[in-house]
Amino acid sequence: MAGGLAALLDDVAALARLAAASADDVAAASARASAKAAGVVVDDAAVTPQYVRGIEPMREVPIIAKIARGSLINKLLVILPVALLLSQFLPWLLTPLLMLGGTYLCFEGAEKLWEHLRGHHAADQAAVEQGPEAEKKIVSSAVRTDLILSAEIMVIALNEVADQPLLNRAMILIVVGVAITLLVYGAVALLVKIDDIGLGMMEKESEASQRTGRMLVAAMPKVMTAISWIGMIAMLWVGGHIILVGLDELGWHAPYAAVHHLEEAVHGVPGVGAALAWLVNTFFSFLLGLAWGAVIVALLHLLPFGKKHGADGHGDATHGHGATAQGAGSDSAAAHSEGAPCGSVAVDDSTGGAQRSR
């Protein structure tokens, strides 16, 4: 009896250790998979604030919460089951799908860079309509865009843990999906409210509070511009790395071998070898992503439907939806500073206005 009890306790302890080890594996793999999706995450955070431009400040966070809920549904109820089924029964499809997603990232990054170089930023329509129906349209539009970005995040994450058992894969993707959604939309909620926080501080009697408030309001255009550039560069880097590795896995080894050879050449530098090797890989992944994306951009602009998209999309957006968002400023800050009513958008045609941008 005592021996049986001891054996049972040993089994329970062994199961507990196994569960703990499995949890550690899931946590480590989740962190690794999340890191690989960094480029899409930054772009997601850069894209989302556009959907609440022109919205009354008190409605910004509730709308972002609705978009976040739609993003979770995208990741966990739509993308996750499909991704797991593919990885279980058609694993050979993961690399082509990942490369397709990488191509999309390269295209997006190259197109944004081209727009910056031309000085024509794609304008985003401010959501000046108010009411439940208008908010519903905003949320639906944002969730549809999120579906593409979420698919990229989940496929990138899945590719990192494809060697894990099915249950572990499911747990890792759930952790990645929830964690990234909370991170992205939590950061977005903070970004869109920083200007309001700054305006509130400017109204306080304390000179230090007023100074801090002015700094926050003045810094937001620069912060949003920096996020836009970081997202663009990260998309080209991540997309290029996906293409580089994918080409190697599909049989064209020369590009990956060349980059790997350069990595090995600098890896032996004392103290900074590993960092230099990472920088080499990142730099050449970025260059490949830029070249790959530039080809797609050129093809789309040469093809008839590509020209139509460029004319009707960016062109009309610039002329029909208001001024281009040059500096990614703050709606509520502009509205308050110009004396405009809460929720309106103050636009300066000469400078591109005080709008949030991607």
Short mmCIF file of all heavy atoms in Angstrom, two decimals, residues 220-276:
data_model
loop_
_atom_site.label_atom_id
_atom_site.label_comp_id
_atom_site.label_asym_id
_atom_site.label_seq_id
_atom_site.Cartn_x
_atom_site.Cartn_y
_atom_site.Cartn_z
N MET A 220 4.61 63.96 -30.25
CA MET A 220 3.80 62.93 -30.90
C MET A 220 3.97 62.85 -32.41
O MET A 220 4.06 61.75 -32.97
CB MET A 220 2.32 63.11 -30.53
CG MET A 220 1.97 62.56 -29.15
SD MET A 220 2.61 60.89 -28.89
CE MET A 220 1.72 59.98 -30.13
N PRO A 221 4.02 63.98 -33.14
CA PRO A 221 4.26 63.85 -34.59
C PRO A 221 5.56 63.12 -34.90
O PRO A 221 5.62 62.29 -35.81
CB PRO A 221 4.31 65.31 -35.06
CG PRO A 221 3.52 66.05 -34.06
CD PRO A 221 3.78 65.38 -32.75
N LYS A 222 6.62 63.44 -34.14
CA LYS A 222 7.92 62.78 -34.37
C LYS A 222 7.85 61.30 -34.02
O LYS A 222 8.42 60.45 -34.71
CB LYS A 222 9.00 63.47 -33.54
CG LYS A 222 9.23 64.94 -33.88
CD LYS A 222 10.30 65.55 -33.01
CE LYS A 222 10.54 67.02 -33.35
NZ LYS A 222 9.36 67.86 -33.08
N VAL A 223 7.14 60.97 -32.93
CA VAL A 223 7.00 59.57 -32.52
C VAL A 223 6.28 58.77 -33.59
O VAL A 223 6.72 57.67 -33.98
CB VAL A 223 6.26 59.46 -31.16
CG1 VAL A 223 5.90 58.01 -30.86
CG2 VAL A 223 7.12 60.03 -30.04
N MET A 224 5.17 59.31 -34.09
CA MET A 224 4.40 58.58 -35.10
C MET A 224 5.17 58.46 -36.41
O MET A 224 5.11 57.42 -37.09
CB MET A 224 3.06 59.29 -35.34
CG MET A 224 2.15 59.33 -34.13
SD MET A 224 1.76 57.70 -33.48
CE MET A 224 0.78 57.01 -34.80
N THR A 225 5.93 59.49 -36.77
CA THR A 225 6.76 59.41 -37.97
C THR A 225 7.84 58.34 -37.80
O THR A 225 8.11 57.56 -38.71
CB THR A 225 7.41 60.78 -38.26
OG1 THR A 225 6.38 61.74 -38.49
CG2 THR A 225 8.30 60.69 -39.50
N ALA A 226 8.46 58.32 -36.61
CA ALA A 226 9.50 57.31 -36.34
C ALA A 226 8.93 55.91 -36.41
O ALA A 226 9.55 55.00 -36.97
CB ALA A 226 10.13 57.57 -34.97
N ILE A 227 7.75 55.71 -35.84
CA ILE A 227 7.11 54.39 -35.88
C ILE A 227 6.84 53.98 -37.33
O ILE A 227 7.03 52.82 -37.71
CB ILE A 227 5.80 54.40 -35.06
CG1 ILE A 227 6.12 54.49 -33.57
CG2 ILE A 227 4.97 53.15 -35.34
CD1 ILE A 227 4.90 54.63 -32.70
N SER A 228 6.40 54.93 -38.14
CA SER A 228 6.13 54.63 -39.55
C SER A 228 7.40 54.16 -40.27
O SER A 228 7.39 53.17 -41.00
CB SER A 228 5.57 55.88 -40.23
OG SER A 228 5.35 55.64 -41.60
N TRP A 229 8.52 54.86 -40.04
CA TRP A 229 9.79 54.48 -40.66
C TRP A 229 10.30 53.14 -40.14
O TRP A 229 10.78 52.29 -40.90
CB TRP A 229 10.85 55.57 -40.43
CG TRP A 229 10.76 56.68 -41.42
CD1 TRP A 229 10.09 57.86 -41.27
CD2 TRP A 229 11.34 56.72 -42.73
NE1 TRP A 229 10.22 58.63 -42.40
CE2 TRP A 229 10.99 57.96 -43.31
CE3 TRP A 229 12.12 55.83 -43.46
CZ2 TRP A 229 11.40 58.33 -44.58
CZ3 TRP A 229 12.53 56.20 -44.74
CH2 TRP A 229 12.18 57.43 -45.29
N ILE A 230 10.21 52.95 -38.82
CA ILE A 230 10.65 51.68 -38.23
C ILE A 230 9.83 50.52 -38.79
O ILE A 230 10.37 49.46 -39.12
CB ILE A 230 10.55 51.74 -36.69
CG1 ILE A 230 11.58 52.73 -36.14
CG2 ILE A 230 10.78 50.35 -36.09
CD1 ILE A 230 11.39 53.03 -34.66
N GLY A 231 8.52 50.73 -38.90
CA GLY A 231 7.67 49.68 -39.45
C GLY A 231 8.02 49.35 -40.89
O GLY A 231 8.07 48.18 -41.28
N MET A 232 8.32 50.39 -41.68
CA MET A 232 8.68 50.19 -43.08
C MET A 232 9.98 49.39 -43.20
O MET A 232 10.08 48.44 -43.97
CB MET A 232 8.82 51.54 -43.76
CG MET A 232 9.24 51.50 -45.20
SD MET A 232 9.41 53.18 -45.87
CE MET A 232 10.80 53.78 -44.89
N ILE A 233 11.00 49.79 -42.42
CA ILE A 233 12.29 49.10 -42.46
C ILE A 233 12.14 47.67 -41.95
O ILE A 233 12.72 46.72 -42.52
CB ILE A 233 13.33 49.88 -41.64
CG1 ILE A 233 13.63 51.22 -42.32
CG2 ILE A 233 14.61 49.07 -41.46
CD1 ILE A 233 14.44 52.17 -41.47
N ALA A 234 11.36 47.49 -40.88
CA ALA A 234 11.18 46.15 -40.31
C ALA A 234 10.47 45.23 -41.30
O ALA A 234 10.81 44.04 -41.40
CB ALA A 234 10.39 46.24 -39.00
N MET A 235 9.51 45.76 -42.05
CA MET A 235 8.83 44.93 -43.04
C MET A 235 9.79 44.45 -44.12
O MET A 235 9.76 43.29 -44.53
CB MET A 235 7.67 45.70 -43.68
CG MET A 235 6.43 45.74 -42.82
SD MET A 235 5.00 46.33 -43.75
CE MET A 235 5.49 48.01 -44.06
N LEU A 236 10.66 45.35 -44.60
CA LEU A 236 11.62 44.97 -45.62
C LEU A 236 12.63 43.96 -45.09
O LEU A 236 12.99 43.00 -45.78
CB LEU A 236 12.35 46.22 -46.15
CG LEU A 236 11.48 47.17 -46.98
CD1 LEU A 236 12.23 48.48 -47.22
CD2 LEU A 236 11.07 46.53 -48.29
N TRP A 237 13.06 44.16 -43.85
CA TRP A 237 14.03 43.24 -43.24
C TRP A 237 13.41 41.85 -43.05
O TRP A 237 13.96 40.84 -43.48
CB TRP A 237 14.53 43.82 -41.93
CG TRP A 237 15.03 42.80 -40.94
CD1 TRP A 237 15.89 41.76 -41.19
CD2 TRP A 237 14.69 42.71 -39.56
NE1 TRP A 237 16.11 41.04 -40.04
CE2 TRP A 237 15.39 41.60 -39.03
CE3 TRP A 237 13.90 43.47 -38.71
CZ2 TRP A 237 15.28 41.22 -37.69
CZ3 TRP A 237 13.80 43.10 -37.38
CH2 TRP A 237 14.49 41.99 -36.89
N VAL A 238 12.25 41.81 -42.39
CA VAL A 238 11.61 40.52 -42.11
C VAL A 238 11.18 39.83 -43.40
O VAL A 238 11.40 38.63 -43.59
CB VAL A 238 10.40 40.70 -41.16
CG1 VAL A 238 9.65 39.39 -40.99
CG2 VAL A 238 10.87 41.21 -39.80
N GLY A 239 10.57 40.59 -44.31
CA GLY A 239 10.16 40.01 -45.58
C GLY A 239 11.34 39.48 -46.37
O GLY A 239 11.29 38.39 -46.93
N GLY A 240 12.44 40.25 -46.40
CA GLY A 240 13.63 39.80 -47.11
C GLY A 240 14.24 38.56 -46.50
O GLY A 240 14.70 37.65 -47.23
N HIS A 241 14.23 38.47 -45.16
CA HIS A 241 14.77 37.28 -44.51
C HIS A 241 13.92 36.04 -44.81
O HIS A 241 14.44 34.95 -45.03
CB HIS A 241 14.84 37.50 -43.00
CG HIS A 241 15.51 36.38 -42.26
ND1 HIS A 241 16.87 36.17 -42.30
CD2 HIS A 241 15.00 35.39 -41.48
CE1 HIS A 241 17.17 35.11 -41.56
NE2 HIS A 241 16.06 34.62 -41.07
N ILE A 242 12.59 36.23 -44.83
CA ILE A 242 11.70 35.13 -45.18
C ILE A 242 12.00 34.63 -46.59
O ILE A 242 12.08 33.42 -46.84
CB ILE A 242 10.23 35.57 -45.06
CG1 ILE A 242 9.85 35.78 -43.58
CG2 ILE A 242 9.29 34.54 -45.70
CD1 ILE A 242 8.50 36.42 -43.39
N ILE A 243 12.17 35.56 -47.54
CA ILE A 243 12.47 35.18 -48.92
C ILE A 243 13.83 34.49 -49.00
O ILE A 243 13.99 33.47 -49.69
CB ILE A 243 12.46 36.42 -49.84
CG1 ILE A 243 11.06 37.09 -49.82
CG2 ILE A 243 12.86 36.04 -51.26
CD1 ILE A 243 9.94 36.20 -50.30
N LEU A 244 14.83 35.02 -48.29
CA LEU A 244 16.18 34.46 -48.31
C LEU A 244 16.17 33.00 -47.84
O LEU A 244 16.72 32.12 -48.50
CB LEU A 244 17.09 35.30 -47.41
CG LEU A 244 18.57 34.92 -47.37
CD1 LEU A 244 19.23 35.19 -48.71
CD2 LEU A 244 19.28 35.68 -46.25
N VAL A 245 15.53 32.75 -46.71
CA VAL A 245 15.48 31.39 -46.16
C VAL A 245 14.60 30.49 -47.03
O VAL A 245 14.93 29.33 -47.27
CB VAL A 245 14.97 31.41 -44.70
CG1 VAL A 245 14.79 30.01 -44.17
CG2 VAL A 245 15.94 32.19 -43.82
N GLY A 246 13.49 31.05 -47.52
CA GLY A 246 12.57 30.26 -48.34
C GLY A 246 13.22 29.79 -49.64
O GLY A 246 13.03 28.65 -50.05
N LEU A 247 13.98 30.68 -50.28
CA LEU A 247 14.68 30.29 -51.51
C LEU A 247 15.65 29.14 -51.24
O LEU A 247 15.77 28.21 -52.05
CB LEU A 247 15.43 31.49 -52.09
CG LEU A 247 14.58 32.61 -52.68
CD1 LEU A 247 15.46 33.78 -53.09
CD2 LEU A 247 13.77 32.12 -53.87
N ASP A 248 16.33 29.21 -50.10
CA ASP A 248 17.26 28.14 -49.75
C ASP A 248 16.52 26.81 -49.54
O ASP A 248 16.96 25.76 -50.01
CB ASP A 248 18.02 28.53 -48.48
CG ASP A 248 19.06 27.49 -48.08
OD1 ASP A 248 20.03 27.30 -48.84
OD2 ASP A 248 18.89 26.86 -47.02
N GLU A 249 15.37 26.87 -48.85
CA GLU A 249 14.61 25.65 -48.59
C GLU A 249 14.00 25.07 -49.87
O GLU A 249 13.80 23.86 -49.97
CB GLU A 249 13.52 25.94 -47.56
CG GLU A 249 14.06 26.23 -46.17
CD GLU A 249 12.96 26.51 -45.16
OE1 GLU A 249 11.78 26.51 -45.56
OE2 GLU A 249 13.28 26.73 -43.97
N LEU A 250 13.72 25.94 -50.85
CA LEU A 250 13.13 25.46 -52.11
C LEU A 250 14.19 25.03 -53.13
O LEU A 250 13.85 24.60 -54.23
CB LEU A 250 12.25 26.56 -52.72
CG LEU A 250 10.97 26.89 -51.94
CD1 LEU A 250 10.18 27.99 -52.64
CD2 LEU A 250 10.09 25.67 -51.74
N GLY A 251 15.48 25.15 -52.76
CA GLY A 251 16.52 24.61 -53.63
C GLY A 251 17.49 25.60 -54.23
O GLY A 251 18.51 25.19 -54.80
N TRP A 252 17.20 26.91 -54.14
CA TRP A 252 18.15 27.90 -54.67
C TRP A 252 19.02 28.37 -53.51
O TRP A 252 18.64 29.25 -52.75
CB TRP A 252 17.42 29.06 -55.33
CG TRP A 252 18.37 29.98 -56.06
CD1 TRP A 252 19.59 29.66 -56.55
CD2 TRP A 252 18.16 31.35 -56.38
NE1 TRP A 252 20.18 30.74 -57.15
CE2 TRP A 252 19.31 31.80 -57.07
CE3 TRP A 252 17.12 32.25 -56.18
CZ2 TRP A 252 19.45 33.10 -57.55
CZ3 TRP A 252 17.24 33.55 -56.65
CH2 TRP A 252 18.40 33.97 -57.32
N HIS A 253 20.19 27.76 -53.37
CA HIS A 253 21.01 27.95 -52.18
C HIS A 253 21.98 29.13 -52.27
O HIS A 253 22.52 29.56 -51.25
CB HIS A 253 21.82 26.68 -51.90
CG HIS A 253 20.98 25.44 -51.80
ND1 HIS A 253 20.04 25.26 -50.81
CD2 HIS A 253 20.93 24.32 -52.58
CE1 HIS A 253 19.45 24.09 -50.96
NE2 HIS A 253 19.95 23.50 -52.03
N ALA A 254 22.23 29.65 -53.46
CA ALA A 254 23.29 30.64 -53.64
C ALA A 254 23.10 31.91 -52.79
O ALA A 254 24.06 32.33 -52.12
CB ALA A 254 23.40 31.00 -55.12
N PRO A 255 21.92 32.56 -52.78
CA PRO A 255 21.80 33.80 -51.99
C PRO A 255 22.04 33.57 -50.49
O PRO A 255 22.80 34.31 -49.85
CB PRO A 255 20.36 34.25 -52.25
CG PRO A 255 19.99 33.61 -53.54
CD PRO A 255 20.69 32.29 -53.55
N TYR A 256 21.43 32.52 -49.94
CA TYR A 256 21.60 32.23 -48.52
C TYR A 256 23.05 31.87 -48.21
O TYR A 256 23.61 32.30 -47.19
CB TYR A 256 20.67 31.10 -48.09
CG TYR A 256 20.72 30.79 -46.62
CD1 TYR A 256 19.93 31.50 -45.71
CD2 TYR A 256 21.56 29.79 -46.12
CE1 TYR A 256 19.98 31.22 -44.36
CE2 TYR A 256 21.62 29.52 -44.77
CZ TYR A 256 20.82 30.23 -43.89
OH TYR A 256 20.89 29.97 -42.55
N ALA A 257 23.67 31.08 -49.09
CA ALA A 257 25.06 30.67 -48.86
C ALA A 257 25.99 31.87 -48.86
O ALA A 257 26.93 31.94 -48.06
CB ALA A 257 25.48 29.67 -49.93
N ALA A 258 25.74 32.83 -49.76
CA ALA A 258 26.59 34.03 -49.83
C ALA A 258 26.47 34.85 -48.54
O ALA A 258 27.49 35.29 -47.98
CB ALA A 258 26.19 34.88 -51.03
N VAL A 259 25.25 35.05 -48.07
CA VAL A 259 25.06 35.81 -46.82
C VAL A 259 25.65 35.05 -45.65
O VAL A 259 26.30 35.65 -44.77
CB VAL A 259 23.55 36.08 -46.60
CG1 VAL A 259 23.31 36.73 -45.23
CG2 VAL A 259 23.00 36.98 -47.70
N HIS A 260 25.45 33.75 -45.61
CA HIS A 260 26.00 32.94 -44.52
C HIS A 260 27.53 32.99 -44.51
O HIS A 260 28.15 33.04 -43.44
CB HIS A 260 25.52 31.49 -44.65
CG HIS A 260 25.90 30.62 -43.50
ND1 HIS A 260 25.44 30.83 -42.22
CD2 HIS A 260 26.72 29.53 -43.43
CE1 HIS A 260 25.95 29.92 -41.41
NE2 HIS A 260 26.73 29.12 -42.12
N HIS A 261 28.14 33.01 -45.68
CA HIS A 261 29.60 33.10 -45.77
C HIS A 261 30.08 34.43 -45.19
O HIS A 261 31.09 34.47 -44.45
CB HIS A 261 30.02 32.98 -47.23
CG HIS A 261 31.50 33.12 -47.43
ND1 HIS A 261 32.40 32.14 -47.07
CD2 HIS A 261 32.24 34.15 -47.96
CE1 HIS A 261 33.63 32.55 -47.35
NE2 HIS A 261 33.56 33.76 -47.90
N LEU A 262 29.37 35.52 -45.48
CA LEU A 262 29.75 36.83 -44.93
C LEU A 262 29.55 36.86 -43.42
O LEU A 262 30.34 37.48 -42.69
CB LEU A 262 28.91 37.92 -45.60
CG LEU A 262 29.21 38.18 -47.08
CD1 LEU A 262 28.19 39.14 -47.67
CD2 LEU A 262 30.62 38.74 -47.24
N GLU A 263 28.48 36.21 -42.94
CA GLU A 263 28.27 36.12 -41.49
C GLU A 263 29.45 35.43 -40.81
O GLU A 263 29.95 35.89 -39.77
CB GLU A 263 26.98 35.35 -41.19
CG GLU A 263 25.70 36.11 -41.44
CD GLU A 263 24.50 35.29 -41.04
OE1 GLU A 263 24.19 35.23 -39.82
OE2 GLU A 263 23.87 34.68 -41.93
N GLU A 264 29.88 34.32 -41.38
CA GLU A 264 30.99 33.57 -40.79
C GLU A 264 32.28 34.38 -40.81
O GLU A 264 33.12 34.25 -39.92
CB GLU A 264 31.19 32.25 -41.54
CG GLU A 264 30.08 31.23 -41.28
CD GLU A 264 30.36 29.91 -41.98
OE1 GLU A 264 31.11 29.93 -42.99
OE2 GLU A 264 29.85 28.87 -41.52
N ALA A 265 32.45 35.23 -41.82
CA ALA A 265 33.67 36.02 -41.96
C ALA A 265 33.82 37.02 -40.81
O ALA A 265 34.94 37.34 -40.41
CB ALA A 265 33.67 36.76 -43.29
N VAL A 266 32.68 37.52 -40.28
CA VAL A 266 32.76 38.53 -39.20
C VAL A 266 32.47 37.92 -37.83
O VAL A 266 32.64 38.59 -36.81
CB VAL A 266 31.78 39.70 -39.47
CG1 VAL A 266 32.12 40.38 -40.78
CG2 VAL A 266 30.33 39.21 -39.48
N HIS A 267 32.01 36.68 -37.81
CA HIS A 267 31.60 36.08 -36.53
C HIS A 267 32.78 35.91 -35.58
O HIS A 267 32.61 35.90 -34.36
CB HIS A 267 30.92 34.73 -36.77
CG HIS A 267 30.12 34.26 -35.60
ND1 HIS A 267 30.68 33.60 -34.53
CD2 HIS A 267 28.80 34.38 -35.32
CE1 HIS A 267 29.73 33.32 -33.64
NE2 HIS A 267 28.58 33.78 -34.10
N GLY A 268 33.99 35.79 -36.13
CA GLY A 268 35.15 35.56 -35.27
C GLY A 268 35.73 36.81 -34.64
O GLY A 268 36.69 36.72 -33.86
N VAL A 269 35.18 37.99 -34.93
CA VAL A 269 35.68 39.23 -34.33
C VAL A 269 35.44 39.19 -32.83
O VAL A 269 34.28 39.02 -32.40
CB VAL A 269 34.99 40.46 -34.95
CG1 VAL A 269 35.49 41.74 -34.28
CG2 VAL A 269 35.24 40.51 -36.45
N PRO A 270 36.48 39.33 -32.02
CA PRO A 270 36.32 39.20 -30.56
C PRO A 270 35.33 40.22 -29.99
O PRO A 270 35.37 41.39 -30.33
CB PRO A 270 37.74 39.47 -30.02
CG PRO A 270 38.64 39.19 -31.17
CD PRO A 270 37.88 39.57 -32.40
N GLY A 271 34.44 39.73 -29.15
CA GLY A 271 33.52 40.61 -28.43
C GLY A 271 32.27 41.00 -29.17
O GLY A 271 31.18 41.04 -28.59
N VAL A 272 32.39 41.31 -30.46
CA VAL A 272 31.23 41.81 -31.21
C VAL A 272 30.90 40.93 -32.42
O VAL A 272 30.08 41.31 -33.25
CB VAL A 272 31.49 43.26 -31.69
CG1 VAL A 272 31.58 44.22 -30.51
CG2 VAL A 272 32.75 43.33 -32.55
N GLY A 273 31.53 39.77 -32.50
CA GLY A 273 31.33 38.91 -33.66
C GLY A 273 29.88 38.52 -33.89
O GLY A 273 29.38 38.60 -35.02
N ALA A 274 29.20 38.09 -32.82
CA ALA A 274 27.81 37.67 -32.96
C ALA A 274 26.93 38.83 -33.41
O ALA A 274 26.05 38.67 -34.27
CB ALA A 274 27.30 37.10 -31.64
N ALA A 275 27.15 40.03 -32.84
CA ALA A 275 26.37 41.21 -33.22
C ALA A 275 26.62 41.58 -34.67
O ALA A 275 25.69 41.92 -35.42
CB ALA A 275 26.70 42.37 -32.29
N LEU A 276 27.89 41.52 -35.09
CA LEU A 276 28.22 41.83 -36.48
C LEU A 276 27.58 40.84 -37.44
O LEU A 276 27.09 41.23 -38.51
CB LEU A 276 29.74 41.84 -36.67
CG LEU A 276 30.51 43.03 -36.07
CD1 LEU A 276 32.00 42.85 -36.27
CD2 LEU A 276 30.05 44.34 -36.70
#
